[in-house]
Amino acid sequence: ETNRNMLGQKELEWPEFLRFIELLFLMSTVRVGCSLRAWFEDTETSEFEGAPFRLNKYMSRSRFESIMNALTYTNVSPPLYKDKFFQIRPLVKAWNEHMSTTFLPSWVSCLDESMSPWTSRWTCPGWMFVPRKPHPMGNEYHTIACAVSGILYQMEMVEGRDKPREVPVQHDEQGKTAGLLLRLTVPIWATGKVVVLDSGFCVLKAITELHKVGVYSSALIKKRR
C-alpha cells in the first residue's frame, strides 16, 4: 500500500523498510527535539546544535522523506462515517492477535494505563492530558503486561470524544470497566492466572465477570465514607 503512493519513486522493499523503521527508532531515543533535516546534514556533529548523528550513510534525506510521505498503515478504505482512527484499528487488532498466539504471559499480569507521548493536540486524534503521568500529553492506552517479564501483550486506545458511535465495542453490554477488562484479558481466560489492578479498575461487576471466565483479580481498594 505504501508503494502505491510512491508516485514514480523506486518501490520500497522489505530490507529498506526495516532500515527506515530502525532510523525512526534511533531518532526517538533523542529527547531534545531537532528538525528532520538535521539528521541528514553534511556538517560535522556538534554538541551545541543539530542532531547527534548523521544518517546519510544509511539513507538519503530525499528517500527518507519520500517513504515518510507515502507511508500507509492499512488497505482499508475510509468508512462512510467520521472515524479518525480507521487507519490504526487494523494495526492494533493485528498486533493484539499476534501477541495472543506468540506470547505466553506468566502467572501474574498487571493492567494499567500507558501514554504514547505527543505534544500537539491539533495533530493527534484522541489526544489526552494526564498530569500524573511521566509523559502527560499524547495518546492514552489501556495495556496489560506480564508482571514477570514486563512485556505488553494487549492494548486498547482511549479514544475519548473522538470515538465514533458506529464502531461496535465487544463486551460493552457488561459495562465500561468490565468490558475493558474482558477484552484485554482474553489471552489468559480459563487459565486461573492473576491480573493486578489499581483502584480505578476495582469495580465489583468487573472482578466478578473476570472470575466467570477463569481469571483471578488482585485490586487496590480505597476506603470511602
Side-chain angles (χ1 to χ4, degrees), residues 180-198:
L180 172 66
L181 297 187
L182 287 172
R183 291 190 298 274
L184 290 179
T185 57
V186 168
I188 57 174
W189 281 13
T191 61
K193 294 182 178 181
V194 180
V195 58
V196 180
L197 312 169
D198 68 14

PDB file of all heavy atoms in Angstrom, residues 180-198:
ATOM      1  N   LEU A 180     -13.874  -3.515  29.271  1.00  0.00           N
ATOM      2  CA  LEU A 180     -12.449  -3.269  29.011  1.00  0.00           C
ATOM      3  C   LEU A 180     -11.588  -4.402  29.556  1.00  0.00           C
ATOM      4  O   LEU A 180     -10.707  -4.925  28.864  1.00  0.00           O
ATOM      5  CB  LEU A 180     -12.039  -1.938  29.643  1.00  0.00           C
ATOM      6  CG  LEU A 180     -10.542  -1.621  29.639  1.00  0.00           C
ATOM      7  CD1 LEU A 180     -10.038  -1.414  28.223  1.00  0.00           C
ATOM      8  CD2 LEU A 180     -10.239  -0.407  30.506  1.00  0.00           C
ATOM      9  N   LEU A 181     -11.828  -4.805  30.798  1.00  0.00           N
ATOM     10  CA  LEU A 181     -11.022  -5.862  31.403  1.00  0.00           C
ATOM     11  C   LEU A 181     -11.211  -7.186  30.677  1.00  0.00           C
ATOM     12  O   LEU A 181     -10.245  -7.954  30.506  1.00  0.00           O
ATOM     13  CB  LEU A 181     -11.391  -6.015  32.882  1.00  0.00           C
ATOM     14  CG  LEU A 181     -11.133  -4.803  33.788  1.00  0.00           C
ATOM     15  CD1 LEU A 181     -11.383  -5.167  35.244  1.00  0.00           C
ATOM     16  CD2 LEU A 181      -9.719  -4.279  33.615  1.00  0.00           C
ATOM     17  N   LEU A 182     -12.420  -7.469  30.233  1.00  0.00           N
ATOM     18  CA  LEU A 182     -12.656  -8.712  29.497  1.00  0.00           C
ATOM     19  C   LEU A 182     -11.903  -8.721  28.173  1.00  0.00           C
ATOM     20  O   LEU A 182     -11.317  -9.734  27.779  1.00  0.00           O
ATOM     21  CB  LEU A 182     -14.153  -8.899  29.259  1.00  0.00           C
ATOM     22  CG  LEU A 182     -14.990  -9.291  30.482  1.00  0.00           C
ATOM     23  CD1 LEU A 182     -16.475  -9.240  30.150  1.00  0.00           C
ATOM     24  CD2 LEU A 182     -14.603 -10.678  30.976  1.00  0.00           C
ATOM     25  N   ARG A 183     -11.896  -7.590  27.474  1.00  0.00           N
ATOM     26  CA  ARG A 183     -11.212  -7.535  26.180  1.00  0.00           C
ATOM     27  C   ARG A 183      -9.703  -7.699  26.324  1.00  0.00           C
ATOM     28  O   ARG A 183      -9.062  -8.378  25.531  1.00  0.00           O
ATOM     29  CB  ARG A 183     -11.537  -6.207  25.473  1.00  0.00           C
ATOM     30  CG  ARG A 183     -12.973  -6.074  25.004  1.00  0.00           C
ATOM     31  CD  ARG A 183     -13.154  -4.864  24.101  1.00  0.00           C
ATOM     32  NE  ARG A 183     -12.872  -3.610  24.766  1.00  0.00           N
ATOM     33  CZ  ARG A 183     -13.754  -2.912  25.482  1.00  0.00           C
ATOM     34  NH1 ARG A 183     -14.995  -3.374  25.637  1.00  0.00           N
ATOM     35  NH2 ARG A 183     -13.426  -1.754  26.046  1.00  0.00           N
ATOM     36  N   LEU A 184      -9.122  -7.083  27.348  1.00  0.00           N
ATOM     37  CA  LEU A 184      -7.671  -7.119  27.498  1.00  0.00           C
ATOM     38  C   LEU A 184      -7.161  -8.439  28.080  1.00  0.00           C
ATOM     39  O   LEU A 184      -5.987  -8.772  27.920  1.00  0.00           O
ATOM     40  CB  LEU A 184      -7.204  -5.957  28.382  1.00  0.00           C
ATOM     41  CG  LEU A 184      -7.311  -4.554  27.775  1.00  0.00           C
ATOM     42  CD1 LEU A 184      -6.827  -3.507  28.769  1.00  0.00           C
ATOM     43  CD2 LEU A 184      -6.510  -4.443  26.485  1.00  0.00           C
ATOM     44  N   THR A 185      -8.016  -9.174  28.761  1.00  0.00           N
ATOM     45  CA  THR A 185      -7.564 -10.414  29.399  1.00  0.00           C
ATOM     46  C   THR A 185      -7.908 -11.666  28.605  1.00  0.00           C
ATOM     47  O   THR A 185      -7.709 -12.778  29.105  1.00  0.00           O
ATOM     48  CB  THR A 185      -8.187 -10.540  30.806  1.00  0.00           C
ATOM     49  OG1 THR A 185      -9.623 -10.487  30.702  1.00  0.00           O
ATOM     50  CG2 THR A 185      -7.694  -9.429  31.728  1.00  0.00           C
ATOM     51  N   VAL A 186      -8.393 -11.524  27.378  1.00  0.00           N
ATOM     52  CA  VAL A 186      -8.760 -12.694  26.568  1.00  0.00           C
ATOM     53  C   VAL A 186      -7.640 -13.740  26.500  1.00  0.00           C
ATOM     54  O   VAL A 186      -7.905 -14.943  26.622  1.00  0.00           O
ATOM     55  CB  VAL A 186      -9.192 -12.251  25.155  1.00  0.00           C
ATOM     56  CG1 VAL A 186      -9.282 -13.447  24.219  1.00  0.00           C
ATOM     57  CG2 VAL A 186     -10.539 -11.544  25.206  1.00  0.00           C
ATOM     58  N   PRO A 187      -6.356 -13.361  26.327  1.00  0.00           N
ATOM     59  CA  PRO A 187      -5.306 -14.381  26.228  1.00  0.00           C
ATOM     60  C   PRO A 187      -5.133 -15.234  27.481  1.00  0.00           C
ATOM     61  O   PRO A 187      -4.525 -16.314  27.404  1.00  0.00           O
ATOM     62  CB  PRO A 187      -4.037 -13.568  25.945  1.00  0.00           C
ATOM     63  CG  PRO A 187      -4.524 -12.292  25.341  1.00  0.00           C
ATOM     64  CD  PRO A 187      -5.808 -12.014  26.031  1.00  0.00           C
ATOM     65  N   ILE A 188      -5.628 -14.774  28.648  1.00  0.00           N
ATOM     66  CA  ILE A 188      -5.441 -15.560  29.873  1.00  0.00           C
ATOM     67  C   ILE A 188      -6.768 -16.088  30.416  1.00  0.00           C
ATOM     68  O   ILE A 188      -6.844 -16.499  31.579  1.00  0.00           O
ATOM     69  CB  ILE A 188      -4.702 -14.743  30.958  1.00  0.00           C
ATOM     70  CG1 ILE A 188      -5.458 -13.448  31.286  1.00  0.00           C
ATOM     71  CG2 ILE A 188      -3.284 -14.444  30.522  1.00  0.00           C
ATOM     72  CD1 ILE A 188      -4.852 -12.680  32.465  1.00  0.00           C
ATOM     73  N   TRP A 189      -7.808 -16.078  29.597  1.00  0.00           N
ATOM     74  CA  TRP A 189      -9.074 -16.682  30.019  1.00  0.00           C
ATOM     75  C   TRP A 189      -8.879 -18.170  30.300  1.00  0.00           C
ATOM     76  O   TRP A 189      -8.093 -18.854  29.637  1.00  0.00           O
ATOM     77  CB  TRP A 189     -10.135 -16.499  28.942  1.00  0.00           C
ATOM     78  CG  TRP A 189     -10.759 -15.136  28.910  1.00  0.00           C
ATOM     79  CD1 TRP A 189     -10.321 -14.016  29.543  1.00  0.00           C
ATOM     80  CD2 TRP A 189     -11.926 -14.747  28.185  1.00  0.00           C
ATOM     81  NE1 TRP A 189     -11.129 -12.952  29.246  1.00  0.00           N
ATOM     82  CE2 TRP A 189     -12.124 -13.365  28.425  1.00  0.00           C
ATOM     83  CE3 TRP A 189     -12.808 -15.419  27.338  1.00  0.00           C
ATOM     84  CZ2 TRP A 189     -13.199 -12.666  27.859  1.00  0.00           C
ATOM     85  CZ3 TRP A 189     -13.868 -14.724  26.773  1.00  0.00           C
ATOM     86  CH2 TRP A 189     -14.062 -13.362  27.037  1.00  0.00           C
ATOM     87  N   ALA A 190      -9.613 -18.667  31.274  1.00  0.00           N
ATOM     88  CA  ALA A 190      -9.641 -20.105  31.615  1.00  0.00           C
ATOM     89  C   ALA A 190      -8.267 -20.651  31.983  1.00  0.00           C
ATOM     90  O   ALA A 190      -7.979 -21.820  31.761  1.00  0.00           O
ATOM     91  CB  ALA A 190     -10.239 -20.913  30.468  1.00  0.00           C
ATOM     92  N   THR A 191      -7.409 -19.791  32.539  1.00  0.00           N
ATOM     93  CA  THR A 191      -6.074 -20.238  32.940  1.00  0.00           C
ATOM     94  C   THR A 191      -5.872 -20.185  34.447  1.00  0.00           C
ATOM     95  O   THR A 191      -4.898 -20.746  34.956  1.00  0.00           O
ATOM     96  CB  THR A 191      -4.985 -19.369  32.281  1.00  0.00           C
ATOM     97  OG1 THR A 191      -5.140 -18.000  32.707  1.00  0.00           O
ATOM     98  CG2 THR A 191      -5.064 -19.451  30.763  1.00  0.00           C
ATOM     99  N   GLY A 192      -6.760 -19.491  35.171  1.00  0.00           N
ATOM    100  CA  GLY A 192      -6.574 -19.329  36.604  1.00  0.00           C
ATOM    101  C   GLY A 192      -5.450 -18.383  36.963  1.00  0.00           C
ATOM    102  O   GLY A 192      -4.985 -18.354  38.104  1.00  0.00           O
ATOM    103  N   LYS A 193      -4.991 -17.597  36.004  1.00  0.00           N
ATOM    104  CA  LYS A 193      -3.924 -16.633  36.268  1.00  0.00           C
ATOM    105  C   LYS A 193      -4.489 -15.375  36.930  1.00  0.00           C
ATOM    106  O   LYS A 193      -5.697 -15.173  36.984  1.00  0.00           O
ATOM    107  CB  LYS A 193      -3.196 -16.289  34.965  1.00  0.00           C
ATOM    108  CG  LYS A 193      -2.436 -17.475  34.378  1.00  0.00           C
ATOM    109  CD  LYS A 193      -1.678 -17.112  33.108  1.00  0.00           C
ATOM    110  CE  LYS A 193      -0.891 -18.312  32.592  1.00  0.00           C
ATOM    111  NZ  LYS A 193      -0.124 -18.008  31.368  1.00  0.00           N
ATOM    112  N   VAL A 194      -3.596 -14.535  37.406  1.00  0.00           N
ATOM    113  CA  VAL A 194      -3.970 -13.371  38.200  1.00  0.00           C
ATOM    114  C   VAL A 194      -3.659 -12.094  37.433  1.00  0.00           C
ATOM    115  O   VAL A 194      -2.620 -11.991  36.775  1.00  0.00           O
ATOM    116  CB  VAL A 194      -3.216 -13.362  39.542  1.00  0.00           C
ATOM    117  CG1 VAL A 194      -3.614 -12.141  40.379  1.00  0.00           C
ATOM    118  CG2 VAL A 194      -3.491 -14.640  40.317  1.00  0.00           C
ATOM    119  N   VAL A 195      -4.558 -11.114  37.538  1.00  0.00           N
ATOM    120  CA  VAL A 195      -4.296  -9.795  36.978  1.00  0.00           C
ATOM    121  C   VAL A 195      -4.388  -8.778  38.114  1.00  0.00           C
ATOM    122  O   VAL A 195      -5.332  -8.783  38.911  1.00  0.00           O
ATOM    123  CB  VAL A 195      -5.295  -9.448  35.851  1.00  0.00           C
ATOM    124  CG1 VAL A 195      -6.737  -9.501  36.315  1.00  0.00           C
ATOM    125  CG2 VAL A 195      -4.983  -8.069  35.262  1.00  0.00           C
ATOM    126  N   VAL A 196      -3.368  -7.948  38.230  1.00  0.00           N
ATOM    127  CA  VAL A 196      -3.295  -6.931  39.275  1.00  0.00           C
ATOM    128  C   VAL A 196      -3.858  -5.628  38.727  1.00  0.00           C
ATOM    129  O   VAL A 196      -3.460  -5.171  37.652  1.00  0.00           O
ATOM    130  CB  VAL A 196      -1.839  -6.731  39.751  1.00  0.00           C
ATOM    131  CG1 VAL A 196      -1.773  -5.660  40.835  1.00  0.00           C
ATOM    132  CG2 VAL A 196      -1.273  -8.051  40.270  1.00  0.00           C
ATOM    133  N   LEU A 197      -4.777  -5.009  39.489  1.00  0.00           N
ATOM    134  CA  LEU A 197      -5.471  -3.796  39.057  1.00  0.00           C
ATOM    135  C   LEU A 197      -5.263  -2.691  40.085  1.00  0.00           C
ATOM    136  O   LEU A 197      -5.094  -2.960  41.273  1.00  0.00           O
ATOM    137  CB  LEU A 197      -6.974  -4.062  38.911  1.00  0.00           C
ATOM    138  CG  LEU A 197      -7.390  -5.307  38.123  1.00  0.00           C
ATOM    139  CD1 LEU A 197      -8.887  -5.567  38.317  1.00  0.00           C
ATOM    140  CD2 LEU A 197      -7.069  -5.139  36.653  1.00  0.00           C
ATOM    141  N   ASP A 198      -5.298  -1.436  39.620  1.00  0.00           N
ATOM    142  CA  ASP A 198      -5.311  -0.340  40.570  1.00  0.00           C
ATOM    143  C   ASP A 198      -6.757   0.004  40.932  1.00  0.00           C
ATOM    144  O   ASP A 198      -7.698  -0.600  40.431  1.00  0.00           O
ATOM    145  CB  ASP A 198      -4.529   0.867  40.049  1.00  0.00           C
ATOM    146  CG  ASP A 198      -5.191   1.535  38.849  1.00  0.00           C
ATOM    147  OD1 ASP A 198      -6.373   1.255  38.579  1.00  0.00           O
ATOM    148  OD2 ASP A 198      -4.525   2.342  38.181  1.00  0.00           O
TER     149      ASP A 198
END
